[in-house]
Amino acid sequence: MHIPLGSLKFLALDCQTTGNSLKSNNILEIGWLECKAMDPSTARGPIPATYFVRQPRQAPLSKRIQKLTGIGDSHIKNAVDAQTALDALLKKASEIAGANRTSRCPVVIHYARFEMGFLEKLYRRFQQAPPLPFNVICTHQIA
């Protein structure tokens, strides 16, 4: 089915992590914004959904990560568990896919190779084997 680009809904998604290693680091914050190319409400500033994610074993954040991300202990004290953040993301992706009458949600990520690894790790932990129900567009690859 062809969907005119101007009416296509998608998510702009970003993650912050506790470091670069998929093996030893996790998602610290995940956020997304529902977008539509020809939506005049975008000019009014839609509100993104953001979730600070509680870390396993309540591990403290390194000073390097705090400086790099601007995320500190005050942000983490009200963090949600990783399952809650993932469930909210998958629910929104399902809504958008449904609105587009497709089975996968278009997701725009700046550096998808990095972030998708962490998202897939989280998905495997609570759901099932990847792939996630996303059609990923990487702006870094485009550039």
Side-chain angles (χ1 to χ4, degrees):
M1 169 191 291
H2 174 73
I3 301 170
L5 188 57
S7 61
L8 181 72
K9 290 186 175 189
F10 62 95
L11 288 179
L13 185 138
D14 187 43
C15 298
Q16 300 298 325
T17 65
T18 58
N20 292 331
S21 170
L22 270 173
K23 187 174 183 178
S24 59
N25 297 120
N26 300 295
I27 291 177
L28 178 59
E29 180 187 23
I30 185 169
W32 59 86
L33 180 65
E34 181 178 343
C35 303
K36 184 176 171 187
M38 303 299 281
D39 187 352
S41 70
T42 304
R44 291 191 296 275
I47 300 171
T50 60
Y51 291 83
F52 292 104
V53 179
R54 190 177 310 122
Q55 298 303 296
R57 301 170 304 283
Q58 298 297 317
L61 297 177
S62 73
K63 296 292 181 198
R64 181 179 152 273
I65 293 298
Q66 288 185 47
K67 185 176 180 180
L68 185 65
T69 64
I71 299 170
D73 294 333
S74 63
H75 298 99
I76 298 305
K77 72 178 179 181
N78 295 319
V80 300
D81 61 274
Q83 172 103 49
T84 298
L86 178 64
D87 288 348
L89 172 61
L90 293 174
K91 180 178 183 224
K92 179 52 73 177
S94 177
E95 289 171 9
I96 289 174
N100 290 335
R101 294 188 230 163
T102 61
S103 61
R104 301 168 69 77
C105 176
V107 177
V108 176
I109 302 173
H110 173 63
Y111 194 61
R113 187 173 77 180
F114 176 80
E115 296 183 49
M116 284 304 294
F118 283 95
L119 289 166
E120 288 169 351
K121 175 183 171 182
L122 186 61
Y123 190 68
R124 277 192 304 272
R125 182 172 160 202
F126 295 112
Q127 300 291 326
Q128 53 195 335
L132 284 151
F134 300 156
N135 281 331
V136 176
I137 300 149
C138 179
T139 60
H140 185 264
Q141 268 189 325
I142 292 170

